[in-house]
Amino acid sequence: LRATRIAQALLERGLSAERPLVILSGNGIEHALLTLAALHVGVPVAPLSPSWSLLDPDALKVRHAATLLTPGLVYADDGSAFDRAIGLALPPGIEVVLRDGALTGRSHTPFDALERAAPGPAVARAHDAVGADTIAKFLFTSGSTQLPKAVINTHRMLCSNQQMVAQCFPFLADEPPVLVDWMPWHHTAGGNNNFGIVLTHGGTLYIDEGKPTAAGIGETLRNLREISPTVYFNVPKGFEEIASAMELDDALRESLFRRVKAFMYAGAGLSAHVWEQLERLAERTIGERIAMLTGLGMTETSPSSMFALKPGIRAGHIGLPCPGVEAKLVPVDGKLEVRFRGPNVMPGYWREPALTGEAFDDEGCYRTGDAVRFVDPADPQQGLAFDGRIAEDFKLATGTFVSVGPLRAKLIAAGAPYVQDVVVAGLDRDDVGVLFFPRLDDCRRLAALPADAPAADVLAHAAVHDLFQALVDRGWREGTGSASRVARALLLAEPPSIDRGEITDKGSINQRAVLTHRAALVEQLYAGAPGVLRPAT
């Protein structure tokens, strides 16, 4: 009833694809109600990353989104927090709805005013008119290399995604699913997949206000001690933090494993070290392992495109195409790019015809930019493995291509548990260099330093330096040429910053953003002789 009242209010304001609903704030009850109301009557909803409003002093991406979408209504949960961005990015004529607070020099509509609307025949008519090709959402790409693009998500895409998930994971129908989930709804994994699973199967979603960061993981751990999910989604960094905490926290371990049927990760490769740790902890707690599910998805495919379902999958495996999805493998720069066609694939980018044309090939397949390889070339049914982003690869000064994805994965695996992530440098240089993001707690233990020892002191310790030097030396010995041999490395005391876009909302590393924001450190890396340099910030 609450959603239908809000739906009536949206219709009274004449919202449509030309005047959609934009949501500035993160996951919350009001956010969910607005989304359900909009979907019910065919009004597109566009959730934006809160960081665009809260962290960018100029609100450039919010302004871009407002110009591109021409919204008819904008929602924010807290007027004081979003006041600056609204003032900078939204023309005065756009109605703003707030749950709390007020705006400087601008009127607003209280959220509860939307719920005072009385549902009339217009709601039923609008609902009956919603079809497969009705636009459900505009979801924005990250915009790490250019202004974000608005991906058109239709109702066909959302429904197809849920049907694919239901066929691939039939256990979801065994009981109403329970999710404890932080994944943002402005992102396709959280907003389409996870939120959609709960709607499709009549489940319960507990909004986790934690994050897979050192500062935010505590809230996630507290929630998981109280609530036992039936399926649990996170990014690799989140699983890493949870696995580490479970080693000493019996209550957390027993709660998480009590009902869970499967784990699923996305956003980056899960290290073998963490994978094996989770398996060991599950066997210790319930006497068996929990299935770890993964695949390949993206905003443009709503998000499901491939799932790895066979026994024995490991980090990097992405499996086979989902039911109803066609995958085409195309040679590009010495790799195989995977392209998709199916009911889950977007019709295009909103009001960007040139970019839409570039996104599809002559057979109507979406160009993902993701490279893949066969797990076993002699047995294609074993599925595919992720082989990096083609756009991340680069050439050395010698003209030799460096395949970034496999090199990163190899270094992370070889450096476990001391390596959190790796960024590969060397564009137009003579050799490959890397920036290591170390796991500081593990490095402190290696150096036998106290828990409060500063990061710079930890990474300058001889034992830590020698370990990373040995890792680089080993890679040099095992490399087959200049593109697979790391000649120099730098240990970074400052972790990747989500504020600067160095890690995405999914928790994966943004290679290009790190290299851009730390260009001075890259110069430092190449200024001296090869080897492992002392830590830098």
Side-chain angles (χ1 to χ4, degrees), residues 138-151:
F138 297 115
L139 292 181
F140 279 85
T141 59
S142 63
S144 58
T145 59
Q146 55 186 333
L147 285 173
K149 301 183 288 288
V151 179

mmCIF file with all atom_site columns, all heavy atoms in Angstrom, residues 138-151:
data_model
loop_
_atom_site.group_PDB
_atom_site.id
_atom_site.type_symbol
_atom_site.label_atom_id
_atom_site.label_alt_id
_atom_site.label_comp_id
_atom_site.label_asym_id
_atom_site.label_entity_id
_atom_site.label_seq_id
_atom_site.pdbx_PDB_ins_code
_atom_site.Cartn_x
_atom_site.Cartn_y
_atom_site.Cartn_z
_atom_site.occupancy
_atom_site.B_iso_or_equiv
_atom_site.pdbx_formal_charge
_atom_site.auth_seq_id
_atom_site.auth_comp_id
_atom_site.auth_asym_id
_atom_site.auth_atom_id
_atom_site.pdbx_PDB_model_num
ATOM 1   N N   . PHE A 1 138 ? 17.695 3.708  -15.016 1.00 0.00 ? 138 PHE A N   1
ATOM 2   C CA  . PHE A 1 138 ? 18.935 4.188  -15.626 1.00 0.00 ? 138 PHE A CA  1
ATOM 3   C C   . PHE A 1 138 ? 20.030 3.949  -14.583 1.00 0.00 ? 138 PHE A C   1
ATOM 4   O O   . PHE A 1 138 ? 20.015 4.557  -13.514 1.00 0.00 ? 138 PHE A O   1
ATOM 5   C CB  . PHE A 1 138 ? 18.857 5.673  -15.964 1.00 0.00 ? 138 PHE A CB  1
ATOM 6   C CG  . PHE A 1 138 ? 17.808 6.024  -16.988 1.00 0.00 ? 138 PHE A CG  1
ATOM 7   C CD1 . PHE A 1 138 ? 16.722 6.822  -16.642 1.00 0.00 ? 138 PHE A CD1 1
ATOM 8   C CD2 . PHE A 1 138 ? 17.904 5.556  -18.290 1.00 0.00 ? 138 PHE A CD2 1
ATOM 9   C CE1 . PHE A 1 138 ? 15.755 7.165  -17.568 1.00 0.00 ? 138 PHE A CE1 1
ATOM 10  C CE2 . PHE A 1 138 ? 16.926 5.886  -19.233 1.00 0.00 ? 138 PHE A CE2 1
ATOM 11  C CZ  . PHE A 1 138 ? 15.854 6.687  -18.869 1.00 0.00 ? 138 PHE A CZ  1
ATOM 12  N N   . LEU A 1 139 ? 20.947 3.058  -14.882 1.00 0.00 ? 139 LEU A N   1
ATOM 13  C CA  . LEU A 1 139 ? 22.072 2.796  -13.994 1.00 0.00 ? 139 LEU A CA  1
ATOM 14  C C   . LEU A 1 139 ? 23.345 3.314  -14.644 1.00 0.00 ? 139 LEU A C   1
ATOM 15  O O   . LEU A 1 139 ? 23.615 3.013  -15.814 1.00 0.00 ? 139 LEU A O   1
ATOM 16  C CB  . LEU A 1 139 ? 22.202 1.298  -13.702 1.00 0.00 ? 139 LEU A CB  1
ATOM 17  C CG  . LEU A 1 139 ? 21.096 0.657  -12.871 1.00 0.00 ? 139 LEU A CG  1
ATOM 18  C CD1 . LEU A 1 139 ? 21.392 -0.822 -12.653 1.00 0.00 ? 139 LEU A CD1 1
ATOM 19  C CD2 . LEU A 1 139 ? 20.925 1.371  -11.537 1.00 0.00 ? 139 LEU A CD2 1
ATOM 20  N N   . PHE A 1 140 ? 24.113 4.075  -13.889 1.00 0.00 ? 140 PHE A N   1
ATOM 21  C CA  . PHE A 1 140 ? 25.283 4.727  -14.470 1.00 0.00 ? 140 PHE A CA  1
ATOM 22  C C   . PHE A 1 140 ? 26.536 3.867  -14.341 1.00 0.00 ? 140 PHE A C   1
ATOM 23  O O   . PHE A 1 140 ? 26.734 3.167  -13.333 1.00 0.00 ? 140 PHE A O   1
ATOM 24  C CB  . PHE A 1 140 ? 25.522 6.077  -13.800 1.00 0.00 ? 140 PHE A CB  1
ATOM 25  C CG  . PHE A 1 140 ? 24.645 7.173  -14.334 1.00 0.00 ? 140 PHE A CG  1
ATOM 26  C CD1 . PHE A 1 140 ? 23.362 7.353  -13.836 1.00 0.00 ? 140 PHE A CD1 1
ATOM 27  C CD2 . PHE A 1 140 ? 25.080 7.999  -15.350 1.00 0.00 ? 140 PHE A CD2 1
ATOM 28  C CE1 . PHE A 1 140 ? 22.533 8.355  -14.334 1.00 0.00 ? 140 PHE A CE1 1
ATOM 29  C CE2 . PHE A 1 140 ? 24.275 9.007  -15.854 1.00 0.00 ? 140 PHE A CE2 1
ATOM 30  C CZ  . PHE A 1 140 ? 22.995 9.194  -15.354 1.00 0.00 ? 140 PHE A CZ  1
ATOM 31  N N   . THR A 1 141 ? 27.352 3.930  -15.376 1.00 0.00 ? 141 THR A N   1
ATOM 32  C CA  . THR A 1 141 ? 28.672 3.322  -15.313 1.00 0.00 ? 141 THR A CA  1
ATOM 33  C C   . THR A 1 141 ? 29.535 4.134  -14.346 1.00 0.00 ? 141 THR A C   1
ATOM 34  O O   . THR A 1 141 ? 29.172 5.235  -13.938 1.00 0.00 ? 141 THR A O   1
ATOM 35  C CB  . THR A 1 141 ? 29.325 3.294  -16.697 1.00 0.00 ? 141 THR A CB  1
ATOM 36  O OG1 . THR A 1 141 ? 29.433 4.646  -17.192 1.00 0.00 ? 141 THR A OG1 1
ATOM 37  C CG2 . THR A 1 141 ? 28.500 2.474  -17.677 1.00 0.00 ? 141 THR A CG2 1
ATOM 38  N N   . SER A 1 142 ? 30.692 3.585  -13.991 1.00 0.00 ? 142 SER A N   1
ATOM 39  C CA  . SER A 1 142 ? 31.511 4.225  -12.955 1.00 0.00 ? 142 SER A CA  1
ATOM 40  C C   . SER A 1 142 ? 32.084 5.562  -13.379 1.00 0.00 ? 142 SER A C   1
ATOM 41  O O   . SER A 1 142 ? 32.328 6.440  -12.550 1.00 0.00 ? 142 SER A O   1
ATOM 42  C CB  . SER A 1 142 ? 32.649 3.290  -12.539 1.00 0.00 ? 142 SER A CB  1
ATOM 43  O OG  . SER A 1 142 ? 33.508 3.041  -13.643 1.00 0.00 ? 142 SER A OG  1
ATOM 44  N N   . GLY A 1 143 ? 32.332 5.725  -14.667 1.00 0.00 ? 143 GLY A N   1
ATOM 45  C CA  . GLY A 1 143 ? 32.893 6.986  -15.120 1.00 0.00 ? 143 GLY A CA  1
ATOM 46  C C   . GLY A 1 143 ? 34.331 7.193  -14.709 1.00 0.00 ? 143 GLY A C   1
ATOM 47  O O   . GLY A 1 143 ? 34.767 8.318  -14.464 1.00 0.00 ? 143 GLY A O   1
ATOM 48  N N   . SER A 1 144 ? 35.110 6.108  -14.640 1.00 0.00 ? 144 SER A N   1
ATOM 49  C CA  . SER A 1 144 ? 36.499 6.225  -14.202 1.00 0.00 ? 144 SER A CA  1
ATOM 50  C C   . SER A 1 144 ? 37.395 6.825  -15.288 1.00 0.00 ? 144 SER A C   1
ATOM 51  O O   . SER A 1 144 ? 38.426 7.419  -14.986 1.00 0.00 ? 144 SER A O   1
ATOM 52  C CB  . SER A 1 144 ? 37.032 4.854  -13.792 1.00 0.00 ? 144 SER A CB  1
ATOM 53  O OG  . SER A 1 144 ? 36.930 3.937  -14.868 1.00 0.00 ? 144 SER A OG  1
ATOM 54  N N   . THR A 1 145 ? 37.005 6.672  -16.554 1.00 0.00 ? 145 THR A N   1
ATOM 55  C CA  . THR A 1 145 ? 37.840 7.183  -17.637 1.00 0.00 ? 145 THR A CA  1
ATOM 56  C C   . THR A 1 145 ? 37.147 8.275  -18.452 1.00 0.00 ? 145 THR A C   1
ATOM 57  O O   . THR A 1 145 ? 37.777 8.942  -19.256 1.00 0.00 ? 145 THR A O   1
ATOM 58  C CB  . THR A 1 145 ? 38.240 6.040  -18.586 1.00 0.00 ? 145 THR A CB  1
ATOM 59  O OG1 . THR A 1 145 ? 37.047 5.432  -19.129 1.00 0.00 ? 145 THR A OG1 1
ATOM 60  C CG2 . THR A 1 145 ? 39.034 4.983  -17.840 1.00 0.00 ? 145 THR A CG2 1
ATOM 61  N N   . GLN A 1 146 ? 35.846 8.456  -18.256 1.00 0.00 ? 146 GLN A N   1
ATOM 62  C CA  . GLN A 1 146 ? 35.097 9.497  -18.957 1.00 0.00 ? 146 GLN A CA  1
ATOM 63  C C   . GLN A 1 146 ? 33.832 9.746  -18.149 1.00 0.00 ? 146 GLN A C   1
ATOM 64  O O   . GLN A 1 146 ? 33.616 9.139  -17.111 1.00 0.00 ? 146 GLN A O   1
ATOM 65  C CB  . GLN A 1 146 ? 34.757 9.041  -20.384 1.00 0.00 ? 146 GLN A CB  1
ATOM 66  C CG  . GLN A 1 146 ? 34.014 7.718  -20.436 1.00 0.00 ? 146 GLN A CG  1
ATOM 67  C CD  . GLN A 1 146 ? 33.820 7.221  -21.859 1.00 0.00 ? 146 GLN A CD  1
ATOM 68  O OE1 . GLN A 1 146 ? 33.766 8.005  -22.802 1.00 0.00 ? 146 GLN A OE1 1
ATOM 69  N NE2 . GLN A 1 146 ? 33.723 5.914  -22.017 1.00 0.00 ? 146 GLN A NE2 1
ATOM 70  N N   . LEU A 1 147 ? 33.002 10.672 -18.612 1.00 0.00 ? 147 LEU A N   1
ATOM 71  C CA  . LEU A 1 147 ? 31.761 10.920 -17.892 1.00 0.00 ? 147 LEU A CA  1
ATOM 72  C C   . LEU A 1 147 ? 30.907 9.655  -17.879 1.00 0.00 ? 147 LEU A C   1
ATOM 73  O O   . LEU A 1 147 ? 30.867 8.914  -18.869 1.00 0.00 ? 147 LEU A O   1
ATOM 74  C CB  . LEU A 1 147 ? 31.003 12.063 -18.560 1.00 0.00 ? 147 LEU A CB  1
ATOM 75  C CG  . LEU A 1 147 ? 31.573 13.466 -18.302 1.00 0.00 ? 147 LEU A CG  1
ATOM 76  C CD1 . LEU A 1 147 ? 30.834 14.495 -19.156 1.00 0.00 ? 147 LEU A CD1 1
ATOM 77  C CD2 . LEU A 1 147 ? 31.473 13.835 -16.825 1.00 0.00 ? 147 LEU A CD2 1
ATOM 78  N N   . PRO A 1 148 ? 30.210 9.385  -16.762 1.00 0.00 ? 148 PRO A N   1
ATOM 79  C CA  . PRO A 1 148 ? 29.409 8.158  -16.673 1.00 0.00 ? 148 PRO A CA  1
ATOM 80  C C   . PRO A 1 148 ? 28.329 8.113  -17.743 1.00 0.00 ? 148 PRO A C   1
ATOM 81  O O   . PRO A 1 148 ? 27.755 9.125  -18.132 1.00 0.00 ? 148 PRO A O   1
ATOM 82  C CB  . PRO A 1 148 ? 28.786 8.253  -15.272 1.00 0.00 ? 148 PRO A CB  1
ATOM 83  C CG  . PRO A 1 148 ? 29.650 9.203  -14.517 1.00 0.00 ? 148 PRO A CG  1
ATOM 84  C CD  . PRO A 1 148 ? 30.167 10.179 -15.525 1.00 0.00 ? 148 PRO A CD  1
ATOM 85  N N   . LYS A 1 149 ? 28.041 6.898  -18.193 1.00 0.00 ? 149 LYS A N   1
ATOM 86  C CA  . LYS A 1 149 ? 26.980 6.668  -19.177 1.00 0.00 ? 149 LYS A CA  1
ATOM 87  C C   . LYS A 1 149 ? 25.762 6.103  -18.462 1.00 0.00 ? 149 LYS A C   1
ATOM 88  O O   . LYS A 1 149 ? 25.891 5.300  -17.530 1.00 0.00 ? 149 LYS A O   1
ATOM 89  C CB  . LYS A 1 149 ? 27.457 5.697  -20.261 1.00 0.00 ? 149 LYS A CB  1
ATOM 90  C CG  . LYS A 1 149 ? 28.691 6.177  -21.015 1.00 0.00 ? 149 LYS A CG  1
ATOM 91  C CD  . LYS A 1 149 ? 29.083 5.207  -22.126 1.00 0.00 ? 149 LYS A CD  1
ATOM 92  C CE  . LYS A 1 149 ? 29.679 3.907  -21.585 1.00 0.00 ? 149 LYS A CE  1
ATOM 93  N NZ  . LYS A 1 149 ? 31.034 4.110  -21.030 1.00 0.00 ? 149 LYS A NZ  1
ATOM 94  N N   . ALA A 1 150 ? 24.575 6.498  -18.913 1.00 0.00 ? 150 ALA A N   1
ATOM 95  C CA  . ALA A 1 150 ? 23.328 6.001  -18.330 1.00 0.00 ? 150 ALA A CA  1
ATOM 96  C C   . ALA A 1 150 ? 22.890 4.759  -19.094 1.00 0.00 ? 150 ALA A C   1
ATOM 97  O O   . ALA A 1 150 ? 22.442 4.846  -20.243 1.00 0.00 ? 150 ALA A O   1
ATOM 98  C CB  . ALA A 1 150 ? 22.244 7.067  -18.379 1.00 0.00 ? 150 ALA A CB  1
ATOM 99  N N   . VAL A 1 151 ? 23.014 3.603  -18.461 1.00 0.00 ? 151 VAL A N   1
ATOM 100 C CA  . VAL A 1 151 ? 22.646 2.336  -19.091 1.00 0.00 ? 151 VAL A CA  1
ATOM 101 C C   . VAL A 1 151 ? 21.144 2.136  -18.950 1.00 0.00 ? 151 VAL A C   1
ATOM 102 O O   . VAL A 1 151 ? 20.598 2.139  -17.842 1.00 0.00 ? 151 VAL A O   1
ATOM 103 C CB  . VAL A 1 151 ? 23.391 1.165  -18.432 1.00 0.00 ? 151 VAL A CB  1
ATOM 104 C CG1 . VAL A 1 151 ? 22.984 -0.156 -19.071 1.00 0.00 ? 151 VAL A CG1 1
ATOM 105 C CG2 . VAL A 1 151 ? 24.898 1.367  -18.539 1.00 0.00 ? 151 VAL A CG2 1
#
